[in-house]
Structure formats: C-alpha cells, structure tokens
Amino acid sequence: MIRVITDSTSSISAQRAEELGVQVVSLFVNHNGVEYQDATMDLDAFYAEIHTMLDNIPRSSQPSQLALETVFEDAAKAGDQVLGLFMSSGLSGTFEGALRAARSVKARNADFTFALVDTQSCGYDEGWPVEAGATARNNGASLEECVDAVVRSVESTRFLFCPESLTFLQKGGRIGRASALLGNLIKLTPVLTVRDGTVLTAAKVRTQKKAMDAILDLMQADAQAHGLRNIKAHYIGDKTPAVKWAEKKIGPLVGHDVDVVPVSPVVGLHVGPAVGIAYECDEPIEGKMVEAQVPVVFSASC
C-alpha cells in the first residue's frame, strides 16, 4: 500500500483527509506560552484575535524529527510505501526535516520505499497536488505514477493573495519598515504569489478591492490559457470578506459555489489578515516554475 502523507499547511480538512486517505502531520503555533497543533486548532477562534497579535506575533515550528521518524517507521514496519508531500523548502524546513527522517528510517529498514515531493508552495497550492497524488493512488497507480500526477499538479496550480496591510509582513521581517509605511500611507496593496517555492509580487495596485479584482483577472487569464479544474478561496483573519467575495464574485465567475478555506496560521501570521485563491488548471501554468523543476527525492537515491 502507498501511504500519502502531507503537512498541515496544505489546508486539507480532517474530513477531506479521511475521505482521500491522507495522513496529515501537524506543524505548531506557539502563542503566549501555549503550543497549538495547527492540524486540530480552531482556526477561526484563533484568527478572531489576530489584530491583537501584532506586537506579539506567535511563532511557528515544524514537526520534530522524532514525530516524522515515527510516521515513516510505522509505514516501514507495515511494509507500506510512502508518498510524502510537504510545503515549500523556500518557506519552511519541514521538507528537509522529512527527508532526514525518511533517510534515517531507510537506514534501519532496507526495504522501505518512499518518494518525497517539495510542493513548492503552501495552502491549497500544496493541497491540490496532495489530492492529485491521493486520487492517483486510490485509482491503483504505482508510486512513480503518483509522483508524476503530483508533479503535474504542482506545475498546474497557483496561489494568489492580497494582505489587508503590509504591517505583519514588515513586523515579520519580510519587507522593510520604510516600504511598509509607504505602502500603507498610499494604500498600496500587492498581489502576492508563490513562484519557484518563494513568495513574489504578481501585481501592485492602490487598494485591497483593486487587488481582489486583479486576482480574479489573473485567474481568468490562467483559466483561459490552461483550463480551470479546481479552485478554493482562502483567508487569514476574518472569514466574512472571503465568504462574500466567493459568493458574489468568484462563484458567478467560475459557474459554481467555491469552498472557503482558512490558511494555516503557520503561514498566515507572516502575512496578516488577507484573502486569496488557490486553483488548479488542466495544464501546467506558464510562469509557475521558472528557474527549477519540482524537487522529488526517491528512496533509491538515498
């Protein structure tokens, strides 16, 4: 059997993970001395207090080496193969930690077979490849065929989002204080995306409303060029703006209701209150992977 394993920043709900047969390994959020499991915490309750966290932004942490080795050891002892999909190594050390853990388990279990994929993103930009790999596995695909499905999905997805302000990005060291101040004063709102595993600016406009319109314009351009297969709306902080946006703008544009999913606070607390979308096209999207191929490590190369 092939076990599909991912981390909690993929934003896959517990119900969806159970439906697909996906095992989710949690990252953690540490706030005021309390450690929360990203995979099980009440995100809306947590995000309700996000504006009070600006001067004391919670810290995040990845799964421990022991936790990851335990997951892989369990698969190895059961004689199962592992397809592991983790958030971008450009955003977190989780992929490298998983690779170290898998290699350690391989050293103790010679027959253990795995394939680990750096999905080059997070949120449902990571979630769609996880769903693609699990669906391929559920349809009887081999490990190598599952990896092919995952890689194609990684190349065919896009995450676009716009923050309410630049303050959290500045506080987290993602941009300079002067840039944040100037941006907030003139109501400059960037549309952010993930390309080659790192966060980049896809567009700059004057207000969040214009940024939300720009996101839909970019999505439509991708859909027209490559076909639109799947889409979800994302939010950080208050859910209400994303729900209204999905109902009034995104749904009518794509012709069906659109699920609204919170972004993991492990990611969201670096951005602050924001809305966005993550979608998957029928074909690879031009510009998603520019400088590199999707990193995949097979156990045979260990």
Side-chain angles (χ1 to χ4, degrees):
M1 186 180 83
I2 300 171
R3 294 196 190 188
V4 179
I5 300 171
T6 190
D7 65 73
S8 55
T9 67
S10 62
S11 300
I12 292 177
S13 68
Q15 179 181 347
R16 185 60 176 155
E18 184 176 359
E19 290 172 354
L20 289 168
V22 172
Q23 185 172 353
V24 179
V25 179
S26 188
L27 276 76
F28 299 88
V29 174
N30 303 277
H31 184 46
N32 291 331
V34 179
E35 184 173 73
Y36 300 90
Q37 281 198 21
D38 183 32
T40 59
M41 64 191 293
D42 184 336
L43 298 189
D44 286 329
F46 183 81
Y47 274 148
E49 306 297 326
I50 191 170
H51 288 285
T52 70
M53 302 175 188
L54 188 55
D55 293 323
N56 182 27
I57 298 177
R59 297 185 177 183
S60 60
S61 57
Q62 63 196 56
S64 70
Q65 189 78 9
L66 176 60
L68 289 165
E69 284 196 28
T70 299
V71 169
F72 294 138
E73 189 82 47
D74 184 60
K77 294 301 184 185
D80 293 338
Q81 297 177 309
V82 165
L83 172 63
L85 302 97
F86 299 94
M87 72 181 297
S88 170
S89 58
L91 303 174
S92 167
T94 303
F95 176 79
E96 286 86 352
L99 183 55
R100 288 193 300 272
R103 285 173 166 165
S104 179
V105 171
K106 173 71 173 178
R108 299 191 294 271
N109 301 271
D111 294 333
F112 177 48
T113 303
F114 66 83
L116 301 189
V117 183
D118 178 345
T119 64
Q120 298 287 283
S121 197
C122 57
Y124 242 86
D125 201 16
E126 175 186 355
W128 294 126
V130 173
E131 291 214 7
T135 299
R137 184 274 315 273
N138 294 344
N139 288 335
S142 66
L143 182 60
E144 290 77 12
E145 290 168 336
C146 289
V147 169
D148 289 343
V150 167
V151 169
R152 183 173 179 82
S153 181
V154 170
E155 295 171 340
S156 303
T157 60
R158 183 97 78 190
F159 188 11
L160 297 166
F161 56 103
C162 58
E164 182 180 289
S165 77
L166 302 178
T167 310
F168 273 80
L169 287 164
Q170 184 269 320
K171 287 278 188 177
R174 265 50 182 183
I175 58 175
R177 184 174 182 274
S179 296
L181 178 61
L182 179 61
N184 287 334
L185 284 175
I186 65 174
K187 295 185 178 180
L188 178 65
T189 302
V191 174
L192 303 176
T193 191
V194 183
R195 183 183 304 150
D196 290 327
T198 59
V199 177
L200 298 173
T201 301
K204 292 181 181 179
V205 294
R206 293 295 296 271
T207 66
Q208 191 179 41
K209 181 182 182 302
K210 290 183 178 179
M212 293 164 73
D213 290 340
I215 285 174
L216 297 184
D217 289 342
L218 290 166
M219 182 274 291
Q220 281 187 288
D222 281 339
Q224 289 171 0
H226 308 291
L228 183 65
R229 179 176 297 178
N230 292 302
I231 185 169
K232 288 186 186 291
H234 266 319
Y235 67 93
I236 301 166
D238 184 9
K239 182 178 183 177
T240 305
V243 171
K244 291 181 177 178
W245 189 38
E247 290 177 349
K248 295 181 178 180
K249 294 284 189 177
I250 308 173
L253 195 61
V254 300
H256 58 80
D257 292 341
V258 174
D259 288 340
V260 180
V261 179
V263 175
S264 159
V266 169
V267 176
L269 290 167
H270 294 294
V271 179
V275 294
I277 56 175
Y279 54 91
E280 181 181 28
C281 291
D282 294 322
E283 301 171 349
I285 298 173
E286 183 179 357
K288 172 66 185 290
M289 302 294 298
V290 177
E291 298 179 357
Q293 295 180 329
V294 178
V296 181
V297 179
F298 286 92
S299 53
S301 64
C302 297

